[in-house]
């Protein structure tokens, strides 16, 4: 069994064939799905899907691109729901900051403020974090450590192969590995994968984004976790069955709602 720990099945690109997408995945060993929240306005759709399909869960959080819409009152209401099992995706993303120095710094500070609020909420409610980091390794690590985020742990979604973040495994963080691992230019991730503690590996797609080779450019979907598992098995010299078992065990350990699933 594979658990896709990060797939945006609430995306508009699945409106017409979500049922078929889920069935295709289920027929190919992908049995459980987690939809991360990225924008307050979109979480309702994720919740709706999780109640329609018993093997789909969701998380509630605010992506750094959507911090202007952060509303803790609304967020708390979602987080009370038994189908909502994590906080995120939240974090820091400095990829598209403005050139102006003052504007850039102001946005960085606001991202850190909202990230911190979500970490504190995770600790209060004892829910793990789904963390988004892009071009912000140092600040992300500092915010996590300063707020003792290891008390709840979480996953570094779409792990970016930074050695600087690797030691976060000691604080209870897992590493989400997706389609990027199959890219021809993913040399850094291929090299660092064996250095990640096996008990901290998770599989994800980030569907509909980051579709694995040889389907790059097409819509991603949970079925393609099978390609990620194959690549992990190849690099770590494991059987595909072992990768399925390992990453499922890890997902169940991090996300307690999965622990009773077969």
């Amino acid at each position: 069994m594979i658990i896709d720990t990060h797939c945006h099945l609430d995306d508009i690109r699945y409106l017409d064939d979500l049922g078929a997408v889920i069935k295709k995945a289920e027929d190919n060993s992908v049995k459980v799905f987690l939809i991360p929240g990225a924008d307050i306005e979109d979480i309702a759709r994720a919740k709706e899907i999780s109640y329609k399909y018993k093997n789909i869960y969701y998380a509630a959080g605010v992506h750094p691109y959507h911090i202007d819409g952060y509303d803790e009152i609304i967020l708390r209401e979602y987080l009370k729901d038994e189908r909502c099992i994590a906080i995120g995706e939240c974090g820091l993303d400095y990829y598209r900051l403005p050139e102006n120095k003052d504007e850039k710094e102001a946005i960085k500070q606001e991202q850190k403020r909202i990230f911190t609020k979500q970490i504190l909420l995770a600790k209060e409610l004892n829910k793990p974090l789904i963390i988004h980091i892009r071009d912000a390794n140092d600040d992300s690590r500092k915010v996590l450590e300063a707020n003792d985020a290891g008390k709840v742990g979480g996953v570094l979604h779409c792990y970016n192969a930074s050695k600087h973040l690797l030691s976060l495994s000691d604080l209870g963080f897992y590493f989400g590995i997706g389609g990027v691992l199959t890219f021809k230019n993913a040399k850094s991730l291929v090299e660092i994968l064996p250095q990640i503690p096996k008990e901290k590996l998770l599989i994800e797609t980030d569907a509909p984004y980051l579709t694995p080779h040889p389907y790059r450019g097409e819509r991603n979907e949970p079925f393609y976790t099978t390609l990620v598992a194959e690549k992990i098995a190849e690099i770590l010299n494991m059987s595909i069955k072992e990768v399925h078992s390992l990453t499922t065990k890890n997902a169940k350990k991090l996300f307690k709602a999965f622990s009773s699933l077969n």
Side-chain angles (χ1 to χ4, degrees), residues 32-104:
V32 185
F33 315 80
L34 176 55
I35 304 174
D39 187 336
I40 288 289
E41 294 183 1
D42 296 334
I43 300 175
R45 171 66 176 160
K47 179 179 179 179
E48 177 187 346
I49 293 170
S50 77
Y51 274 89
K52 184 175 181 180
Y53 299 92
K54 65 179 182 179
N55 55 346
I56 297 180
Y57 296 80
Y58 74 103
V62 177
H63 185 286
Y65 284 175
H66 301 296
I67 55 175
D68 288 347
Y70 183 81
D71 188 320
E72 189 161 310
I73 294 175
I74 295 176
L75 202 55
R76 282 179 177 275
E77 285 302 308
Y78 283 117
L79 291 165
K80 292 177 183 177
D81 182 17
E82 64 180 4
R83 305 292 296 179
C84 183
I85 63 173
I87 294 180
E89 61 183 284
C90 57
L92 303 178
D93 191 320
Y94 296 167
Y95 181 64
R96 292 192 178 97
L97 295 181
E99 292 295 328
N100 181 276
K101 184 178 178 180
D102 291 339
E103 290 180 9
K104 180 184 295 186

Side-chain angles (χ1 to χ4, degrees), residues 174-187:
Y174 292 68
F175 301 81
I177 307 298
V180 172
L181 185 67
T182 70
F183 293 179
K184 293 180 180 179
N185 62 351
K187 183 178 179 181

Side-chain angles (χ1 to χ4, degrees), residues 138-150:
D138 288 343
D139 280 356
S140 296
R141 185 185 179 91
K142 288 176 183 176
V143 172
L144 289 168
E145 291 179 340
N147 291 283
D148 202 14

Side-chain angles (χ1 to χ4, degrees), residues 13 17 37 39 59 75 95 107 115 157-158 171 186 215 243:
R13 279 163 279 193
D17 64 345
D39 187 336
L75 202 55
Y95 181 64
I107 292 174
F115 185 23
H157 150 61
C158 195
L171 299 180
Y215 301 103
V243 172

